[in-house]
């Protein structure tokens, strides 16, 4: 039976001591938060650039939602 890389990772983590598992969890949470902050920062930079370039339009919330729902 072939084991997935994800399952192998879980088994590797489970083989660690509880203390090491806690350290790994803390490290992963910090990295995940940093990755989310970086992604948000990139999105904000993109939106600001679009605004500076004049690539925006004003409208109501209903107009926005109608555009989002379009295929």
């Amino acid at each position: 039976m072939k084991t997935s890389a994800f399952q192998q990772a879980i088994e590797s983590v489970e083989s660690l001591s509880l203390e090491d598992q806690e350290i790994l969890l803390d490290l992963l949470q910090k990295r995940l938060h940093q990755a989310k902050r970086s992604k948000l920062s990139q999105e904000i930079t993109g939106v600001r650039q679009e605004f500076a370039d004049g690539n925006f339009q004003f409208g109501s919330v209903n107009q926005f939602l109608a555009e989002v729902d379009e295929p």
Side-chain angles (χ1 to χ4, degrees), residues 1-69:
M1 177 188 292
K2 189 172 187 177
T3 307
S4 71
F6 187 75
Q7 183 62 36
Q8 289 175 352
I10 291 172
E11 290 171 5
S12 293
V13 170
E14 288 176 341
S15 72
L16 298 173
S17 68
L18 287 177
E19 181 181 358
D20 286 346
Q21 288 182 35
E22 289 176 342
I23 292 168
L24 178 61
L25 179 60
D26 184 52
L27 176 66
L28 290 173
Q29 286 175 330
K30 287 178 181 177
R31 288 184 178 191
L32 182 59
H33 289 159
Q34 181 58 42
K36 287 180 179 181
R37 279 193 296 271
S38 293
K39 181 179 178 185
L40 180 59
S41 178
Q42 290 173 353
E43 290 174 358
I44 290 170
T45 299
V47 168
R48 285 181 175 163
Q49 186 61 49
E50 286 182 22
F51 184 80
D53 293 343
N55 297 330
F56 66 95
Q57 56 183 336
F58 293 99
S60 69
V61 171
N62 289 335
Q63 289 170 323
F64 170 75
L65 293 176
E67 286 187 27
V68 170
D69 289 337

